[in-house]
Amino acid sequence: MSSSDLSPTVLRPYGDTTGDGMVQLSFTLPMPHSKLAEGAATQLAVTMGIDPALVVHAKAMGPAHTFFVVYGRVNHLVDVSQVRIVERDYALLSPKEINLAVRKRLRRRLTVVGGCIGTDAHTVGIDAILNVKGFAGEKGLEYYRELRVVNLGAQVSVPQLVARAQAERADAVLVSQVVTQRDAHLFNTKEMSAAFREAYPAATRPLLIVGGPRFDEAMATDLGVDRVFSRGTTPGEVASYLVHSLVTARPVREESRGSNV
Ligand code: B12
């Protein structure tokens, strides 16, 4: 068997057998559960390119909505050679290596200020990155001796965040946005990055990092931030990125850090 058989670049989904193109999709329609509703779900799936489409599960969600799971075949192919992703362009370091790099090259602790902005109260994600309890078996940034973490928690306004970043002389600002209704995560992030650009000269602005489960990592430039992290991010990845950006690639000048004059 050749290596192209093992990792072909053009793929069909795998359901029951190789190349059968079978996928599963779930959604809710705003209509009571009935045969008509199941027909409507099938119609939607066929319109989406699933043919044949089979409703394998339908459940009333209250009197006026129905939840569906549809199983069926798509005829579309995936061309892996055309897929574009944001590759990690920095080395993953251990906590020991991170502490050593900060101590030796920065010669002071690196300060991180973080929180959830706007009305967002979903702190579990930012806590997973910042708090010592961490995530996925990795300890959070508080665990790193050479990192100083100021976690502002939920519902921090942009002016509060800027003021605190200045007061703490933050090297990096880490913002979490989980609620995406009406694109709140995008608007809030753009407002935040604009406020930091307004408050700081370019050379002394802290590194701006945003994270949350529904961000597209390719959107950093559009959002005006230095890096976007999405679902499944671990604290070690974030700590390694901080060292890469602030210590290895862009040493922070002690005298100018955090100043807005
Ligand atoms: C727990 C939870 C809550 C808790 C939050 C408690 C808390 N202290 O955080 C409570 C009950 C308060 C809550 C409230 C609400 N919630 Co809620 N909630 C959830 C739930 C079930 C889990 C979220 C979570 O904790 N995930 C675990 C963490 C570890 O994952 P994460 O956030 O993705 O974080 C990881 C990465 O994304 C990344 N990351 C995240 N942030 C950052 C930041 C940085 C800097 C970096 C580097 C990385 C990073 O790293 C983390 C680790 O890998 C989700 C549904 C779900 N299953 O996801 C809904 C969900 C997020 N909630 C939702 C909603 C609608 C609400 C409410 C509006 C409900 C209501 N009508 O009142 C309110 C809003 C409150 C508010 N003002 O924000 C919706 C959001 C829908 C949308 N499109 O925006 C969801 C998706 C549920 C749903 N399917 O409808 N919620």
Side-chain angles (χ1 to χ4, degrees), residues 225-241:
V225 298
D226 297 292
R227 192 86 181 190
V228 175
F229 285 92
S230 194
R231 71 195 149 76
T233 304
T234 66
E237 289 171 329
V238 180
S240 299
Y241 173 68

Side-chain angles (χ1 to χ4, degrees), residues 7-64:
S7 48
T9 56
V10 178
L11 309 174
R12 264 183 217 286
Y14 179 115
D16 300 313
T17 55
T18 300
D20 63 10
M22 300 299 276
V23 299
Q24 184 169 296
L25 173 72
S26 65
F27 54 86
T28 300
L29 288 180
M31 58 194 295
H33 183 207
S34 65
K35 284 202 99 163
L36 182 66
E38 294 198 10
T42 306
Q43 186 202 73
L44 177 66
V46 170
T47 311
M48 292 171 76
I50 301 176
D51 194 9
L54 188 64
V55 173
V56 292
H57 178 70
K59 187 164 182 2
M61 307 294 289

Side-chain angles (χ1 to χ4, degrees), residues 113-130 134-136 141 154-155 173-185 208-215 227-235 237-238:
V113 170
C116 295
I117 58 170
T119 58
D120 206 325
H122 293 88
T123 50
V124 179
I126 189 78
D127 288 349
I129 302 298
L130 296 182
F135 182 73
L141 303 192
Q155 301 189 332
V173 172
L174 273 64
V175 160
S176 182
Q177 286 286 268
V178 174
V179 173
T180 59
Q181 286 158 338
R182 291 191 292 279
D183 283 343
H185 62 315
L208 299 178
I209 299 175
V210 70
R214 295 191 187 180
F215 276 110
R227 192 86 181 190
V228 175
F229 285 92
S230 194
R231 71 195 149 76
T233 304
T234 66
E237 289 171 329
V238 180

Side-chain angles (χ1 to χ4, degrees), residues 89-101:
D89 52 0
Y90 53 90
L92 273 186
L93 306 174
S94 68
K96 205 173 161 186
E97 290 170 320
I98 287 165
N99 283 331
L100 193 66

Side-chain angles (χ1 to χ4, degrees), residues 246-261:
L246 292 168
V247 181
T248 319
R250 196 185 85 178
V252 178
R253 296 198 314 275
E254 176 63 33
E255 70 278 9
S256 62
R257 180 177 59 116
S259 156
N260 62 346
V261 286

Side-chain angles (χ1 to χ4, degrees), residues 140-197:
L141 303 192
E142 280 179 349
Y143 169 76
Y144 294 72
R145 214 178 26 244
E146 301 299 329
L147 303 185
R148 189 171 75 86
V149 175
V150 181
N151 186 349
L152 303 178
Q155 301 189 332
V156 183
S157 75
V158 167
Q160 281 170 341
L161 183 69
V162 172
R164 193 62 185 270
Q166 288 174 328
E168 301 289 350
R169 307 186 77 208
D171 296 294
V173 172
L174 273 64
V175 160
S176 182
Q177 286 286 268
V178 174
V179 173
T180 59
Q181 286 158 338
R182 291 191 292 279
D183 283 343
H185 62 315
L186 306 179
F187 291 119
N188 289 343
T189 303
K190 285 179 183 169
E191 184 194 346
M192 181 273 296
S193 61
F196 274 93
R197 282 188 167 72

